[in-house]
Amino acid sequence: MKIVIENDYASLSLRAAEIIKAQVNGKPESVLGFATGSTPIGTYCELVKMYNANDVDFSKVVTFNLDEYYKIKKTDKQSYYHYMQTHLYRHVKFKETHIQDGEAADHAAECIAYEEEIASHGGIDLQILGIGVEGHIGFNESGDEFIAATHHVKLDESTIKENSRFFENENDVPKYALTMGIKTIFSAKKILLLANGANKAEILQKTVHGAITPKNPSSILQLHPDVTIITDREAGKLLV
Ligand code: GLP
């Protein structure tokens, strides 16, 4: 795993955006995997600036998001659909953008269709990941097994608590989600994991140096051949 420790959130965001730009400039028809959460917001902001400065052209790029709450309406301000529109898709023109349908009547069929769609584009070239404080990537929660494909998942109480900061109250947080599985994430040729802030330091240390176990889903990244982790100084403090 390649580890890059930046001074602060601004330089972490710029560094990540530079890597995404280099990917797209090197392969204009790249398939990108995007993440949500507070961490990648700065990266998306930098991408919008690069796009407006004509430094990068996303018109041939196809994107797939990691996860979406279930059930949630696209119009709900807390949906990841809405998040992606707000931070990126409203500002930048992509060829196609995909996210699991949080309103699908049949979640199992939706997950199968999502997998097929990714496969039909030849898998993901570069996947962006955040990390939950318990080690979740996407919504692959801590558990007894790794789940390979895109699936319907019951969110952990800890995740609901953690994500309640974005909602008016904890009861509003959906109890379920649809997420890429570990094999879906591993279909990416390159993975870029972003982590910011002191509350991520411990889990990052376990991600890089700890046991590979589904109790900490992020630990499986040790087995992927091309992972870069970018942190700010606080999140990276136990890695040096
Ligand atoms: C959510 C998302 C994850 C994300 C995590 C971390 O749970 N499903 O994909 O990595 O939040 O969020 P933050 O970046 O706000 O710490």
Side-chain angles (χ1 to χ4, degrees), residues 10-34:
S11 42
L12 175 170
S13 301
L14 186 58
R15 185 74 172 253
E18 292 285 357
I19 292 174
I20 297 167
K21 181 176 86 171
Q23 169 68 37
V24 173
N25 286 343
K27 183 181 176 188
E29 65 289 352
S30 286
V31 179
L32 301 180
F34 282 144

Side-chain angles (χ1 to χ4, degrees), residues 36-39 66-67 80 130-132 136 138-139 163 165-166 200:
T36 51
S38 53
T39 311
L66 269 174
D67 51 13
Y80 289 162
I131 185 169
H136 72 218
F139 273 131
N163 287 5
R165 67 200 143 114
F166 300 113
K200 299 288 172 72

Side-chain angles (χ1 to χ4, degrees), residues 131-137 140-143 156-162 199-200 202-204 206-207 213-219:
I131 185 169
V133 284
E134 309 284 341
H136 72 218
I137 47 177
N140 289 274
E141 298 281 39
S142 168
D156 284 354
E157 278 309 315
S158 61
T159 300
I160 290 173
K161 249 193 180 44
E162 182 70 21
N199 65 333
K200 299 288 172 72
E202 213 168 298
I203 193 62
L204 270 188
K206 289 186 185 148
T207 301
T213 163
K215 302 265 181 260
N216 171 19
S218 62
S219 62

Side-chain angles (χ1 to χ4, degrees), residues 18 33 47 91 172:
E18 292 285 357
L47 288 180
H91 315 287
D172 296 340

